[in-house]
């Protein structure tokens, strides 16, 4: 079995399990190095080599650090390993980053230099949409194009036919829905607003949005505070949901909500 085939098979297995990994590829070598351009390896979320080849153990530490950074930020990393004397000649300290390149010391006896590109392969982000409203369905349809793993929790019958989804739950309290979910949009629109929002706030999500007017959310906020929900938890709800683009139709509202989620995700990486 070829190296590429082994990496592809293991990558597919890890993706099916929803586990982040990184692919490291040798893109350039200078002088004598064990690895050659085109050599690659698959690394797990801890920076441990799963399969493939990058050279001797002297490169593993730098690649591991780059893998951890790539998975944490979602951004690829370019690592340039050089012997200590070359780093000193160029006035570069090991661990220093310049123009998007992170430099590291290559302590291998070969004394060669090599550049390694580390690309994260992250699991699809999960998006839970509460409600069967037209906005909820439109959001589920649009989110597919942005590679979300989509779940709809129905508090009542859907207003329109549901698209093909990763998961559909009949209510808001299915525990399989909420484990580790980062993004939640409550689009119940009068069909279980309080129950859906309470459930969304009971788990450590990164982003919660409520589709509805400011007046409606203000009234719901007072109701939930009266029922024991902490004001601080309600303060983290984006309400009304979506960027202000003068949206009117369900599809426009879904677009504004997805734009807000995208902005939130990207800003978190800056």
């Amino acid at each position: 079995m070829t190296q590429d085939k082994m990496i592809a098979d293991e990558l597919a297995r890890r993706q099916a399990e929803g586990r982040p990994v990184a692919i490291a590829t040798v893109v350039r070598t200078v002088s004598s190095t064990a690895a050659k351009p085109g050599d690659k390896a698959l690394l797990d979320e801890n920076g441990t080599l799963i399969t493939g080849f990058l050279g001797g153990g002297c490169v593993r530490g730098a690649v591991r650090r780059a893998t951890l950074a790539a998975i944490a930020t979602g951004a690829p990393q370019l690592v340039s390993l050089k012997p200590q004397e070359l780093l000193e000649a160029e006035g570069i300290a090991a661990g220093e980053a310049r123009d998007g390149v992170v430099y590291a010391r290559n302590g291998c006896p070969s004394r060669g230099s090599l550049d390694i590109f580390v690309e994260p392969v992250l699991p699809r982000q999960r998006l839970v949409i509460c409600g069967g409203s037209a906005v909820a369905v439109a959001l589920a349809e649009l989110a597919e194009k942005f590679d979300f793993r989509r779940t709809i929790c129905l508090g009542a019958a859907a207003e329109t036919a549901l698209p093909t989804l990763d998961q559909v739950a009949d209510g808001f309290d299915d525990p399989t829905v909420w484990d580790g979910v980062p993004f939640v949009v409550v689009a119940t629109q009068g069909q279980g607003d309080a129950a859906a929002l309470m459930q969304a706030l009971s788990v450590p999500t990164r982003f919660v949005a409520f589709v509805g007017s400011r007046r409606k959310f203000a009234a719901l906020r007072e109701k939930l505070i009266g029922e024991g929900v902490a004001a601080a938890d309600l303060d983290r709800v984006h309400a009304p949901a979506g960027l202000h683009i003068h949206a009117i139709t369900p599809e426009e509202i879904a677009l504004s909500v997805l734009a807000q989620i995208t902005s939130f995700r990207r800003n978190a990486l800056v």
Side-chain angles (χ1 to χ4, degrees):
M1 185 181 295
T2 66
Q3 173 182 278
D4 286 348
K5 173 63 173 172
M6 292 173 65
I7 289 174
D9 288 350
E10 186 63 26
L11 174 61
R13 187 177 74 81
R14 300 266 171 161
Q15 286 183 303
E17 295 173 352
R19 298 173 62 183
V21 293
I23 299 174
T25 304
V26 178
V27 295
R28 176 177 176 267
T29 63
V30 178
S31 189
S32 176
T33 59
K36 303 302 177 186
D39 284 340
K40 61 182 61 178
L42 187 70
L43 300 105
D44 68 15
E45 61 267 38
N46 298 312
T48 301
L49 190 144
I50 303 168
T51 187
F53 180 72
L54 296 173
C58 45
V59 307
R60 298 282 179 86
V63 173
R64 177 181 179 276
R65 290 189 293 273
T67 297
L68 295 177
I71 290 176
T73 64
Q77 307 284 311
L78 179 59
V79 183
S80 183
L81 294 104
K82 298 174 180 287
Q84 182 64 34
E85 59 268 24
L86 288 185
L87 291 175
E88 292 175 354
E90 297 175 20
I92 300 173
E96 183 177 349
R98 290 187 183 181
D99 300 323
V101 180
V102 178
Y103 291 89
R105 184 179 72 87
N106 183 7
C108 291
S110 63
R111 318 301 291 172
S113 301
L114 66 165
D115 297 340
I116 300 176
F117 183 73
V118 180
E119 182 179 13
V121 182
L122 304 179
R124 287 189 299 158
Q125 293 276 3
R126 295 178 59 212
L127 171 63
V128 170
I129 305 165
C130 295
S133 66
V135 171
V137 174
L139 179 58
E141 291 175 337
L142 185 59
E144 180 183 18
K145 301 182 183 299
F146 291 80
D147 205 29
F148 279 96
R149 184 173 181 268
R150 300 154 300 138
T151 297
I152 277 189
C153 299
L154 293 172
E159 294 180 9
T160 60
L162 294 176
T164 300
L165 298 162
D166 297 284
Q167 184 179 12
V168 177
D170 290 332
F172 306 129
D173 57 356
D174 184 340
T176 65
V177 169
W178 299 100
D179 183 24
V181 64
F183 301 102
V184 180
V185 176
V186 177
T188 40
Q189 298 194 277
Q191 300 294 322
D193 296 345
L197 195 53
M198 287 181 70
Q199 180 61 52
L201 293 175
S202 70
V203 294
T205 58
R206 291 171 51 200
F207 176 97
V208 181
F210 178 80
V211 177
S213 67
R214 286 184 176 84
R215 183 175 179 179
K216 182 176 183 179
F217 180 72
L220 181 58
R221 174 189 172 89
E222 292 305 311
K223 171 183 170 63
L224 293 178
I225 288 175
E227 294 180 6
V229 177
D233 287 337
L234 290 159
D235 287 343
R236 64 187 182 93
V237 178
H238 297 266
L243 299 182
H244 184 54
I245 61 171
H246 303 284
I248 296 176
T249 67
E251 291 75 18
E252 291 172 346
I253 295 170
L255 174 63
S256 74
V257 173
L258 196 55
Q260 185 179 36
I261 292 173
T262 300
S263 177
F264 182 89
R265 289 174 67 186
R266 296 306 182 198
N267 285 335
L269 301 180
V270 175

